[in-house]
Amino acid sequence: MTCDIAAIRHRELEDPQLNVVLYQPEIPANTGNIARLCGAAEIRLHLIFPLGFRVDDRHLKRAGLDYWPEVDVQYHASFEKFLAGRDMGRKLLAFTRHASTPYTDARANPGDYLLFGQETRGLPLAIRESYPCYAIPIWGRVRSLNLSTTVGIVVYHYLHQMGRF
């Protein structure tokens, strides 16, 4: 879905602690929760199109996302365009329920990219085969965690690992 993102003002971080990348997110409430986390922790949020919702001013106001201008958001027309514009000196770590390595085994450095997939389909196989992938262990009988919960767990783990608190 397209929208007029040029009209939306965003905060630009000079040196974000981390970069959260959402691959074609589908659920606006998840993205809103993740955006709030990114604004609070000074993390840059990357949204890769197509999105399953609109992010124009009218839709943001209706959703109560009045903090959206405080979030450093970058929009990318495709995963390929995101890759072309990213800082190649930073790692890209992918998170998926299909991985066998726990997220706690990975090391993140300031400025690294944390990639998360769609709520219903996750990350495409081609991406999972191209980048190191990690999972949050689940011991119960549920098949996955909510995307915004997953992002929160991972982000704060790495911020702690980097000595940010």
Side-chain angles (χ1 to χ4, degrees):
M1 180 171 286
T2 61
C3 62
D4 183 17
I5 58 174
I8 301 172
R9 179 181 57 79
H10 289 290
R11 177 180 183 197
E12 258 189 71
L13 296 170
E14 193 171 310
D15 190 22
Q17 298 187 67
L18 289 167
N19 290 277
V20 166
V21 184
L22 301 183
Y23 177 84
Q24 301 178 357
E26 301 165 301
I27 301 173
N30 283 336
T31 302
N33 286 335
I34 294 164
R36 183 185 303 261
L37 177 138
C38 289
E42 295 190 326
I43 292 170
R44 181 171 289 143
L45 176 61
H46 299 262
L47 298 178
I48 299 175
F49 281 85
L51 309 180
F53 51 89
R54 296 180 61 88
V55 290
D56 57 23
D57 278 332
R58 192 179 107 230
H59 287 86
L60 292 173
K61 284 179 185 162
R62 184 183 313 150
L65 302 180
D66 57 348
Y67 55 84
W68 199 256
E70 297 304 316
V71 181
D72 182 344
V73 182
Q74 292 189 0
Y75 302 93
H76 306 277
S78 67
F79 186 66
E80 294 73 23
K81 298 239 185 218
F82 159 73
L83 290 175
R86 79 180 177 101
D87 180 347
M88 296 305 290
R90 304 295 182 193
K91 288 185 292 194
L92 178 65
L93 306 171
F95 298 88
T96 174
R97 67 183 177 97
H98 300 288
S100 58
T101 306
Y103 73 102
T104 52
D105 284 1
R107 299 281 314 162
N109 298 306
D112 283 350
Y113 296 85
L114 311 176
L115 173 64
F116 300 87
Q118 293 175 294
E119 290 91 341
T120 59
R121 292 183 286 265
L123 290 170
L125 181 60
I127 292 175
R128 294 194 321 256
E129 290 178 340
S130 299
Y131 299 94
C133 291
Y134 303 93
I136 295 175
I138 297 174
W139 297 277
R141 293 184 182 177
V142 299
R143 70 178 178 273
S144 65
L145 295 172
N146 176 278
L147 179 62
S148 61
T149 300
T150 300
V151 172
I153 290 168
V154 168
V155 162
Y156 274 86
H157 169 75
Y158 292 127
L159 290 174
H160 178 71
Q161 182 188 78
M162 293 184 305
R164 299 294 187 186
F165 64 93

